[in-house]
Amino acid sequence: MKPDASRSSGEAPELRERSASVTQAVVAALQEKIRDGTFKSGKALPPQRDLAQQLGVSRASLREAISILGTLGLLSIEQGRGTFLVSNAEWAAAGRPAGSWRFAARYSPEEVYQFRLIAESQAVQLAAMTHSDEELVELDKNLEQFRGAIRRSDLGAYAQADFDFHRLIIRFSRNRLLADMHGTFAGVLLEAQRLPLIRRDTLWEPVLEHERIVEALKRSDPEGARYYMRQHL
C-alpha cells in the first residue's frame, strides 16, 4: 500500500478508495484511544513501529492517519521528539492549536480556497439546474453522515463527510473538466477541509450551511445555491 494514495495519479481508483478507507479506520482507532484515555493529554504517543503493530496496520497507513490528526490539531508532530497528544489547555486557550499544512511548498490554504470559491460557486449553480431526484437523496444521506460524525466526536469522519459533500456538488454539475480538476487535486482539497476545524463548539455551523445549499438545490434555485455556497466557503 502506498503512503499517500490520494496523490498517486497512476493508481487505480479502487486502490485509492481502499487505501483511504484503511486510513480512515486508523484515524477512528486513534481518536478512540484519545477519548478513552489511552493517550494522555500532553504526552507522547508510543513509537510508530509499536503503535502500528498494536493496530495491525502498516506504518504508512499510521503515518497518514497521524498526519490527518495533526492537521485537525489533535496531535502535535515534533521532528526528532515524537508525536504528542495536544493538551486540553491548548485547546481551551485558542479553540485549537494551529494545524500543520503539508502542502505549504506547493500552495497556500488561501490559494486553495480561492480556487474552491471560483469552481464550487459555478458548480453549484449548474447542479441546481441539472440535478436528479436520486442525487438529492445522495446529498441527504451525506448530511446525515455529517451529523453523525459530530455526534460521535469523529473529526476525521467529519472532514471526510464535508469533502464528500463538495465532491458530490462538483459531480452533479455535470461539468467533466471541473470533476477532473477536483479529482486531480483531491488530496490537497481534503487536507484544506481539515484546517477550518477551529472550535469544537462550532462544528454544527457548516452542517446548517450545507442544509441551506441543499434546500436551494431542491428548489432548483441556481442563484440561491450560489449565494449560500459562497457564504459557506
Side-chain angles (χ1 to χ4, degrees), residues 14-31:
E14 59 271 19
L15 181 55
R16 289 201 299 271
E17 290 173 7
R18 192 158 59 245
S19 300
S21 64
V22 170
T23 300
Q24 286 299 315
V26 179
V27 169
L30 293 176
Q31 288 184 111

Side-chain angles (χ1 to χ4, degrees), residues 100-119:
S100 59
W101 173 244
R102 58 176 162 168
F103 294 101
R106 296 168 60 190
Y107 316 105
S108 70
E110 290 79 11
E111 288 174 310
V112 176
Y113 274 89
Q114 288 165 2
F115 167 78
R116 290 188 60 199
L117 190 63
I118 294 167

Side-chain angles (χ1 to χ4, degrees), residues 57-176:
V57 298
S58 69
R59 292 180 69 183
S61 294
L62 177 63
R63 282 195 298 271
E64 179 73 7
I66 287 174
S67 176
I68 289 171
L69 293 175
T71 303
L72 291 170
L74 293 175
L75 298 178
S76 174
I77 304 164
E78 301 181 19
Q79 295 298 326
R81 295 192 63 225
T83 301
F84 295 79
L85 177 60
V86 171
S87 69
N88 293 331
E90 288 179 271
W91 271 94
R96 58 153 275 189
S100 59
W101 173 244
R102 58 176 162 168
F103 294 101
R106 296 168 60 190
Y107 316 105
S108 70
E110 290 79 11
E111 288 174 310
V112 176
Y113 274 89
Q114 288 165 2
F115 167 78
R116 290 188 60 199
L117 190 63
I118 294 167
E120 295 187 35
S121 296
Q122 180 64 28
V124 78
Q125 280 188 293
L126 294 171
M129 295 184 285
T130 62
H131 65 76
S132 67
D133 290 343
E134 291 77 12
E135 288 167 346
L136 294 177
V137 170
E138 283 192 70
L139 288 171
D140 282 336
K141 288 180 179 177
N142 173 271
L143 283 172
E144 192 51 45
Q145 291 170 352
F146 208 14
R147 299 181 192 106
I150 299 176
R151 297 186 188 106
R152 299 192 307 274
S153 298
D154 188 340
L155 297 184
Y158 177 94
Q160 184 67 50
D162 190 9
F163 172 80
D164 288 342
F165 177 85
H166 292 273
R167 178 180 55 80
L168 289 171
I169 295 293
I170 291 284
R171 178 156 63 86
F172 298 161
S173 76
R174 289 171 173 71
N175 184 301
R176 290 173 294 182

